[in-house]
Amino acid sequence: RQILPALAAALPAGHAPGIAESQAQIGSGALPLETLPSLALRIPAPGASAERIARALRRLPLPVIGRIAEGAVWLDLRCLDDAQALVEELPGLAALLDE
């Protein structure tokens, strides 16, 4: 909830993020198919806008890696150590989306 206002402000109209239940992959190697219940920020992004948003997130000074599924960009919160650091990066997202 702490991240949603900053993320919504950084995204174009029609891409209002929300919180969704997800399944986080534990990892590859010995447990490639194991998952854990998690929460994710879900950014609705139909069509090519999903890749555009995911690419812009990766280009932030502190890169944010998500996944594209079900017509949305998903940012799993399981591995997020510092929500405030992410909030501080988000104002730069709008400029990257315009490039």
Side-chain angles (χ1 to χ4, degrees):
R1 290 182 185 92
Q2 175 183 355
I3 301 166
L4 282 176
L7 183 57
L11 291 167
H15 296 286
I19 299 172
E21 292 183 3
S22 68
Q23 292 292 316
Q25 187 174 347
I26 292 174
S28 55
L31 300 169
L33 302 177
E34 295 293 321
T35 60
L36 293 172
S38 186
L39 292 174
L41 295 173
R42 183 181 181 279
I43 304 166
S49 65
E51 181 53 43
R52 190 175 113 230
I53 291 169
R55 183 176 37 253
L57 287 163
R58 290 190 304 265
R59 294 179 60 214
L60 288 169
L62 178 64
V64 176
I65 309 299
R67 65 181 170 92
I68 298 171
E70 302 170 14
V73 177
W74 295 71
L75 305 176
D76 195 287
L77 299 174
R78 180 175 156 260
C79 297
L80 181 63
D81 289 332
D82 186 352
Q84 186 58 38
L86 175 57
V87 168
E88 290 170 6
E89 293 293 325
L90 291 174
L93 184 62
L96 294 171
L97 286 167
D98 291 337
E99 292 180 356

